[in-house]
Amino acid sequence: MGDARPIGVFDSGIGGLTVVREIMALLPNESIVYFGDTARVPYGTKSPEVVRAFALQDTRCLMKHDVKMVVAACHTASSVALDDLKGAFPVPVHGVIEPGVRAALEATRNNTIGVIGTRATILTGTYERKLTALRKNVRVESRACPLFVPLVEEGWLDGDITRGTAAIYLDPLKEKGIDTLILGCTHYPLLKSVIRDFFGNGIRLIDSAEETSKTIRETLQSNGMENPARSDPERLFFVSDIPAHFQQVGEQCLGMPLGSVHQVNLEMDEMSRGRNHET
Ligand code: DGL
């Protein structure tokens, strides 16, 4: 019994490593293949159609590595493309939105929840819909924070510019009296201490990466899909542009060496896929 194949995880860039970090902590025996679409980051400024097409390509890239499950470790992709991904691949596909929604509803005491995310995620209204579907009288205050992603990709996880940017984005949410804040972008847990300092200890920060890894564990356990091997899980990292910067910031984020990070050419992959379909 069990399944030794790796878990596939994708994001537009570095952010999905926050999910990898939590999977490694909770499921240390699992092998992981990660794809960061660094050539096309950010997704959060793009249209739903474009993000959907990218998410399908990213998943096809992971499927080549014979993954047993796919995690869309990107709220932008999860909010526009999760149903498309679930229908298109023969493995379980997890997003990062629902686990955070459940955790936020459990955490709030005053029924006033803040959500921060990319512009694309906030524009879909996915969080409001899912939160109010589960609890009618919950008040949801949403705010797009588009500059957070480039700050994280640059490795500026603290400092005056990051703190100043956070204050401008988060001040209106503070005024609305939220007691719980969903970090609705996988890049944002890397700014957790800046966000925590801004709000103080009274706020409950919902880290979707932590919540998602619990859901992944449940799926693996209930389907008998855990890795039966007890040692040497493999962690492979792929990106669609030059690996050096991803490697440097990724190691800062995971607090461990990534080994060699490989560059893949998605367009060439897609062209060869097209050729295979013709023959
Ligand atoms: N980390 C991603 C998310 O959770 C995408 C950020 C971006 O590429 O804009 O939305």
Side-chain angles (χ1 to χ4, degrees), residues 98 154 253:
E98 281 178 10
E154 195 55 31
C253 159

Side-chain angles (χ1 to χ4, degrees), residues 10-17 34-38 41 43 153 187 239 246:
F10 79 83
D11 179 41
S12 57
I14 292 281
L17 292 180
Y34 184 85
F35 175 67
D37 194 5
T38 51
V41 67
Y43 283 9
E153 290 286 323
H187 283 68
V239 288
F246 174 91

Side-chain angles (χ1 to χ4, degrees), residues 11-12 15 41-44 74-76 118 121 149 185-187:
D11 179 41
S12 57
V41 67
Y43 283 9
C74 172
H75 291 75
T76 310
T118 65
T121 298
V149 168
C185 172
T186 50
H187 283 68

Side-chain angles (χ1 to χ4, degrees), residues 103-104 107 116 170 178-183 188 191-197 199-208 210-211:
I116 52 174
L170 302 177
I178 59 166
D179 74 344
T180 302
L181 178 66
I182 300 178
L183 306 179
Y188 297 179
L191 301 175
K192 215 190 244 176
S193 61
V194 168
I195 296 171
R196 154 99 36 232
D197 285 352
F199 281 104
N201 285 331
I203 193 111
R204 295 174 181 81
L205 296 183
I206 305 298
D207 179 339
S208 316
E210 276 172 31
E211 302 306 325

